[in-house]
Amino acid sequence: MKIRRIMPVLLVGVLLVALVLAGCQQTTTPETTTPEEEGAIKTLKEGTLSFGADTAFPPFEFKEGTEYVGFDVDLAKEICKRLDLKYEIVSTAWDGIIPNLKAKKYDAIMSAMTITEDRKKEMTPTDPYIISDQSIATMKDSTIKKPEDLKGKKVGVQVDTTGQLEAEKILGKKYANLKKYDDILTAFSDLAAGRIDAIVNDKPVSAYVIEKTYADKMVLAYTIKTNEGYGIWFRTDDTALRDAVNKAIEEIKADGTYNTIYKKWFGMEPESSTEATGAEEPTP
Ligand code: ARG
């Protein structure tokens, strides 16, 4: 008799607990995460996903006061939240960023790094999380208006970037007046000081740096359409971790969080997304 009476109550209780548990699981990892991906997440040290970044590349990753901020930083933090992981950024010089990933100084690279076939030979990327182009930045009074005008001029790029690749497409691989910088912000101060005549660099970055620091002196003279996608990069074996991160990004896009982060850094909604064709595709 007694048991009969408490049975329904018990059942409801069990159901409630099950519901709460199911709910918890959904908030920790994307619903579709596989056991293999869960396993990869669990092997991370101290429940932390660490990202290597060259933190002189605004608005993607840069230092404000004592903190690292930017589009990549916000997206990386959101990814960690979805995977129930702690977030860490490891500031790294660009020229050592791939060797340091291989040496396990961090778990991934998130540094506005374009997905290229060459890089895929030594690492594995997520799907593109944003699409970008190249650009030519000059002083306002410059005669450089288009790629051909760069010939004979001193041109700055960041070393081993898609900006360098594009500049070399225009000027040739052995062009003597191509100055390769370790970080792009030094190229901008050199342009301001008249030490170089132009910079070939990722368009959103050059646009941001000019607007924030050199609006009175510099312009974005030309857009080089490359339609390149940035990816988060992992060691070649870490495909399960990469897949889990891909799923987290999908979720972040689907529920509108991506658009909020985008708007914060670019002041507008993303244009209806284009497929990345990759920086190494011949540009029309
Ligand atoms: N998107 C360009 C590339 O992948 C430049 C990236 C530079 N990133 C940075 N944080 N400095 O080659």
Side-chain angles (χ1 to χ4, degrees), residues 45-101:
K45 258 187 250 135
E46 290 163 33
T48 302
L49 184 55
S50 56
F51 298 88
D54 163 28
T55 49
F57 211 60
F60 290 97
E61 42 267 326
F62 60 111
K63 215 168 183 182
E64 223 170 48
T66 55
E67 264 192 74
Y68 295 117
V69 295
F71 178 87
D72 283 356
V73 174
D74 283 348
L75 189 57
K77 280 182 181 165
E78 192 61 37
I79 290 165
C80 288
K81 206 164 111 190
R82 309 280 170 134
L83 299 176
D84 204 16
L85 290 166
K86 281 178 275 174
Y87 159 84
E88 190 190 4
I89 189 159
V90 181
S91 191
T92 308
W94 179 253
D95 76 348
I97 205 163
I98 297 174
N100 283 343
L101 176 71

Side-chain angles (χ1 to χ4, degrees), residues 178-245:
L178 190 66
K179 196 154 180 222
K180 297 168 198 162
Y181 291 88
D182 290 332
D183 78 281
I184 205 68
L185 297 180
T186 312
F188 276 92
S189 49
D190 270 11
L191 179 60
R195 283 189 279 267
I196 54 173
D197 304 305
I199 295 170
V200 178
N201 181 47
D202 295 27
K203 183 181 180 182
V205 175
S206 292
Y208 191 91
V209 173
I210 292 174
E211 190 199 312
K212 295 287 173 199
T213 317
Y214 300 105
D216 54 331
K217 306 190 176 71
M218 294 181 193
V219 282
L220 258 199
Y222 191 88
T223 299
I224 306 170
K225 274 274 169 204
T226 52
N227 203 37
E228 56 198 274
Y230 296 168
I232 304 172
W233 293 85
F234 295 85
R235 287 180 289 275
T236 309
D237 292 340
D238 284 343
T239 49
L241 195 54
R242 178 207 60 197
D243 292 345
V245 169

Side-chain angles (χ1 to χ4, degrees), residues 65-199:
T66 55
E67 264 192 74
Y68 295 117
V69 295
F71 178 87
D72 283 356
V73 174
D74 283 348
L75 189 57
K77 280 182 181 165
E78 192 61 37
I79 290 165
C80 288
K81 206 164 111 190
R82 309 280 170 134
L83 299 176
D84 204 16
L85 290 166
K86 281 178 275 174
Y87 159 84
E88 190 190 4
I89 189 159
V90 181
S91 191
T92 308
W94 179 253
D95 76 348
I97 205 163
I98 297 174
N100 283 343
L101 176 71
K102 290 184 179 165
K104 305 199 172 174
K105 299 258 166 69
Y106 31 79
D107 306 305
I109 294 172
M110 187 165 199
S111 201
M113 188 182 269
T114 302
I115 300 170
T116 66
E117 290 311 313
D118 265 354
R119 287 176 180 150
K120 275 198 218 162
K121 287 178 199 149
E122 38 184 358
M123 303 174 289
T124 183
T126 58
D127 297 332
Y129 62 86
I130 196 165
I131 307 298
S132 186
D133 283 311
Q134 290 298 312
S135 66
I136 300 172
T138 61
M139 295 303 274
K140 273 191 172 162
D141 57 5
S142 169
T143 55
I144 300 167
K145 304 287 176 216
K146 53 188 186 312
E148 305 84 79
D149 301 339
L150 290 174
K151 288 178 185 144
K153 305 286 188 196
K154 287 190 198 120
V155 180
V157 295
Q158 186 173 24
V159 69
D160 290 335
T161 58
T162 47
Q164 179 181 334
L165 275 180
E166 284 307 312
E168 286 174 346
K169 268 190 209 164
I170 299 162
L171 301 164
K173 271 203 174 224
K174 294 200 175 99
Y175 189 70
N177 279 330
L178 190 66
K179 196 154 180 222
K180 297 168 198 162
Y181 291 88
D182 290 332
D183 78 281
I184 205 68
L185 297 180
T186 312
F188 276 92
S189 49
D190 270 11
L191 179 60
R195 283 189 279 267
I196 54 173
D197 304 305
I199 295 170

